[in-house]
Amino acid sequence: MEIIETHGLCKRYGDAMRVSHLDLRVPEGCVYGFLGPNGAGKSTTLKMILGLVHPTAGSISVFGKEVNGHNRLDMLKQVGSLIESPSYYGHLTGEENLKVVQTLRGVPEKDVYEVLEIVRLEGQRSKKVAHYSLGMKQRLGLAAALLGYPKLLILDEPTSGLDPVSRDELLQILSEYIEDGEHSVLFSTHITGDLERAADYITYISYGELFFSGSKDEFVDMFRIVKGGTEELSADLKEKAVGVRTFSTGFEALVKTEDTGAFSSLSIEPATIDEIVVFTSKKGDDYE
């Protein structure tokens, strides 16, 4: 079952097209990574899915129902979200902040204590949020999104600014949340390590346009890095390469796996997600 589907989704601001004809399908029971460089249109897309921004064109369905002004509130009862930096009352404790959200949502008070345990903040629930670290604040924001145990979490750059340990803890929480097969997570990021760590599927957009959508393994298997000396950078390789980076001693190029057979005499290595993103989105003198 597809828990989210978009068809031909577009968003234009004046003359600028932020999202262009995006088809997105998020399966149920997975962690789905939404990848792209800063300014690629990730946040705009998530806000359209949540009904916070109206699309210029296209359609969105969540749980099999088209999202519109009439059913948006019903849909949101099954969705937890963390968009941009979460807001808190610094003079209140973590527990008190969650109780404010719990009251507004009308979910049982016991959820407050359960989600604090899920995000590993049960020992800090009586501490004022003004004294929380950035990682603790992000986990508190995730706890607020988890109240009521929504079927779907939509998170915008949830690990941005976190240290490696805090990032790992948050991603582990997301992985555990979908273990029953009945919950799903869609999170945007420009940090490719997050996808290596937690995502089952990836949609990659660049400059508002879809570049890839499918399984993480399929994405990585699409490309290889070809390396060689300066004299080995042939016209044929330049033509087939997605991007080329040259050095004084040689070059490295991102090439589709299906095209590497012609260059078997050169060094061919697996490509990381980071390398794929850099070569396909980088614009500058170092790339051809």
Side-chain angles (χ1 to χ4, degrees):
M1 173 184 173
E2 309 295 341
I3 201 165
I4 297 174
E5 288 190 64
T6 72
H7 297 281
L9 192 62
C10 300
K11 182 60 184 179
R12 181 186 294 276
Y13 290 101
D15 294 332
M17 183 70 83
R18 294 297 300 275
V19 178
S20 179
H21 301 91
L22 179 63
D23 294 334
L24 179 66
R25 292 174 177 83
V26 179
E28 185 178 26
C30 73
V31 175
Y32 200 107
F34 193 31
L35 173 66
N38 288 329
K42 303 186 302 296
S43 296
T44 300
T45 299
L46 297 187
K47 288 176 181 178
M48 286 192 286
I49 293 172
L50 288 166
L52 301 174
V53 170
H54 295 294
T56 303
S59 63
I60 305 166
S61 64
V62 179
F63 307 117
K65 296 182 179 180
E66 186 171 351
V67 177
N68 54 51
H70 299 292
N71 64 14
R72 176 177 173 269
L73 291 178
D74 288 337
M75 181 270 289
L76 290 180
K77 291 178 182 177
Q78 302 180 74
V79 179
S81 64
L82 179 58
I83 303 296
E84 299 176 343
S85 298
S87 299
Y88 308 103
Y89 298 102
H91 65 287
L92 299 181
T93 66
E95 178 185 336
E96 289 167 340
N97 269 274
L98 287 185
K99 284 185 175 179
V100 172
V101 180
Q102 169 254 323
T103 302
L104 292 172
R105 289 195 187 170
V107 299
E109 186 176 332
K110 68 179 181 62
D111 284 12
V112 170
Y113 304 103
E114 291 174 356
V115 298
L116 281 168
E117 184 173 353
I118 290 173
V119 301
R120 284 75 149 164
L121 283 178
E122 65 273 21
Q124 305 291 332
R125 64 186 179 90
S126 298
K127 186 175 183 178
K128 292 187 185 301
V129 172
H131 302 300
Y132 274 20
S133 67
L134 178 59
M136 292 167 65
K137 289 178 179 177
Q138 283 294 92
R139 281 186 281 151
L140 185 63
L142 180 58
L146 288 168
L147 284 170
Y149 301 102
K151 291 183 178 180
L152 172 64
L153 289 178
I154 296 179
L155 313 173
D156 187 19
E157 301 277 2
T159 64
S160 181
L162 300 185
D163 62 76
V165 174
S166 297
R167 281 175 53 207
D168 186 74
E169 289 176 346
L170 193 146
L171 293 170
Q172 180 62 32
I173 292 166
L174 300 185
S175 297
E176 292 172 357
Y177 194 65
I178 59 104
E179 285 180 349
D180 62 1
E182 297 179 358
H183 296 84
S184 308
V185 176
L186 169 62
F187 77 100
S188 71
T189 186
H190 64 277
I191 303 173
T192 57
D194 291 354
L195 303 174
E196 299 276 9
R197 169 72 172 79
D200 302 301
Y201 296 88
I202 292 173
T203 284
Y204 171 39
I205 62 173
S206 184
Y207 303 98
E209 296 187 357
L210 179 66
F211 184 89
F212 173 85
S213 189
S215 75
K216 177 176 64 179
D217 292 340
E218 182 184 352
F219 183 56
V220 174
D221 287 343
M222 282 178 63
F223 298 96
R224 293 291 185 268
I225 294 292
V226 177
K227 298 181 178 181
T230 52
E231 72 284 355
E232 296 174 298
L233 182 54
S234 65
D236 185 36
L237 179 53
K238 284 185 178 181
E239 182 179 351
K240 286 186 167 61
V242 175
V244 177
R245 181 163 53 188
T246 58
F247 311 96
S248 59
T249 57
F251 74 92
E252 57 184 24
L254 183 72
V255 179
K256 288 187 176 180
T257 302
E258 62 194 44
D259 292 332
T260 56
F263 312 110
S264 57
S265 62
L266 301 177
S267 173
I268 300 175
E269 302 175 359
T272 65
I273 294 177
D274 192 57
E275 288 171 326
I276 296 171
V277 171
V278 168
F279 273 99
T280 55
S281 64
K282 175 83 172 179
K283 293 185 181 296
D285 295 337
D286 290 338
Y287 288 80
E288 301 178 1

